[in-house]
Amino acid sequence: MGRGHRAPLLTVIIAIDGPAGAGKSTVARQVAASLGYTYLDTGAMYRSVAWKAISASVDLAVEQALEDIARQLNIRFTALTSDGKQQVFADDEEVTDAIRTPEVSELTSRISAFPAVRRVVVEQQRRMGQMAGKGVVLEGRDIGTVVFPNAHLKIFLTASPEERARRRFDELQSRGLAADFAQTLAEQIARDSRDTYRPDSPLVAADDAVQLSTDGLSIPQVVTHILGLHKQCTAAQHD
Ligand code: DC
C-alpha cells in the first residue's frame, strides 16, 4: 500500500503524534480507555524489531536483515487494562519492559529511519488499525502523515525539550534504571533530531493536525480536550 492510502475508514481512527516525552503514551491510553477504543503503540513495534535485532545479534547496519526481522517477527499486544497497562509480546516472548531500556531506545531511533523497515511496520499498523473494531487510537510519529493520512482526528502533542527530558528521567528513575538528567536530555535531543531530519516519514505535524503543547497542562486536561475534539468530529460526520 502506498502513501496515498485514503479509502474511507469504517473504524474511527485517532492519530496522536509528537516527539518523545510529550505525554503521548499516557494521553493516548486514557483516550482509548475512555472511548472503549483499541490502543496501538506504534513505537513499541519499532522497539520490538530493535530488541529482536539485538537478541539475534544481527548486523545493525544491514537494512535487508532488519527488514527480514520486521517481516518475520510476530508482535502482539494484550488489551489495555482499565488502569492503562498493556503487555507486548514479540514471538511469544514478553518484552514489555525489555523494549524500554536506553539501549533499545537508542537502537530503535536508528533502525526506524530505514525505509524498508518502516514499509513493513507501517503495513502491519494499517492492518491492525483497520481490524480494530469501532475505533483505534494510534500513537507514533507519522500516523497522521503516512500511516492514516485520512484519520478522523489528528493530534500533534508537543512540550519543551527540558520538560520532556524531565519526564523521561523521572520515568527511568521510577523503573529503577540509572539515569543522569544531562545525558537523558542530550540523548533525547539526538533522537529528536534523527526523527525530525530523516528523509523517510520525518516527525512533522500533518497540515490538518490539532497542535497541543502539554507544558503546564495536566494529563486529565489534555485528555478532556481531545475527547471534546473527538465528540465534535464524530458529530460532524453524522450531520
Ligand atoms: O514512541 P517511542 O519513544 O516508543 O518510539 C521509539 C522510536 O521509534 C523513536 O525513535 C521514534 C520511532 N518511531 C517512529 O519512527 N515512528 C513511529 N510511528 C513510532 C515510533
Side-chain angles (χ1 to χ4, degrees):
M1 240 179 288
R3 284 174 65 100
H5 174 65
R6 289 180 182 270
L9 295 164
L10 298 174
T11 301
V12 175
I13 308 266
I14 302 181
I16 301 188
D17 290 305
K24 292 189 307 287
S25 199
T26 313
V27 166
R29 284 165 199 252
Q30 291 194 11
V31 169
S34 303
L35 296 169
Y37 286 5
T38 300
Y39 163 66
L40 191 55
D41 176 358
T42 65
M45 298 173 75
Y46 290 102
R47 286 175 178 275
S48 298
V49 174
W51 170 85
K52 185 70 184 185
I54 297 171
S55 37
S57 303
V58 158
D59 183 342
L60 304 171
V62 181
E63 187 167 359
Q64 177 69 54
L66 294 166
E67 179 187 354
D68 290 346
I69 287 194
R71 206 172 285 288
Q72 286 155 17
L73 190 63
N74 178 21
I75 303 168
R76 196 168 55 77
F77 296 95
T78 56
L80 205 59
T81 60
S82 55
D83 57 349
K85 299 232 163 38
Q86 181 178 60
Q87 288 174 303
V88 188
F89 289 83
D91 281 347
D92 290 331
E93 187 162 341
E94 209 228 317
V95 295
T96 317
D97 293 328
I99 60 173
R100 306 272 161 205
T101 63
E103 183 196 9
V104 172
S105 298
E106 181 62 20
L107 181 63
T108 308
S109 162
R110 295 176 186 279
I111 65 125
S112 61
F114 284 122
V117 171
R118 298 201 73 81
R119 228 176 3 254
V120 173
V121 177
V122 165
E123 259 172 44
Q124 294 169 352
Q125 289 163 4
R126 287 182 179 146
R127 246 197 329 271
M128 289 162 102
Q130 281 161 337
M131 289 184 342
K134 66 173 179 166
V136 57
V137 180
L138 294 103
E139 171 215 329
R141 303 290 189 289
D142 60 341
I143 309 303
T145 50
V146 175
V147 183
F148 284 110
N150 53 345
H152 299 82
L153 176 61
K154 300 180 188 180
I155 307 290
F156 195 83
L157 279 192
T158 56
S160 66
E162 291 73 20
E163 175 69 21
R164 294 190 286 115
R166 192 190 54 71
R167 290 175 187 165
R168 173 82 183 135
F169 175 74
D170 290 349
E171 184 208 327
L172 288 172
Q173 283 209 319
S174 73
R175 295 201 345 252
L177 294 168
D180 170 79
F181 180 77
Q183 190 187 346
T184 306
L185 178 60
E187 286 173 359
Q188 176 191 273
I189 289 171
R191 279 203 302 275
D192 280 354
S193 167
R194 271 199 297 272
D195 288 351
T196 305
Y197 296 109
R198 68 182 173 217
D200 186 350
S201 316
L203 170 65
V204 61
D207 291 341
D208 52 350
V210 177
Q211 300 215 30
L212 274 180
S213 166
T214 61
D215 278 342
L217 290 182
S218 67
I219 296 290
Q221 284 173 316
V222 179
V223 170
T224 303
H225 187 63
I226 295 175
L227 290 175
L229 293 170
H230 167 268
K231 202 167 178 179
Q232 280 171 21
C233 90
T234 47
Q237 271 154 21
H238 289 115
D239 281 348

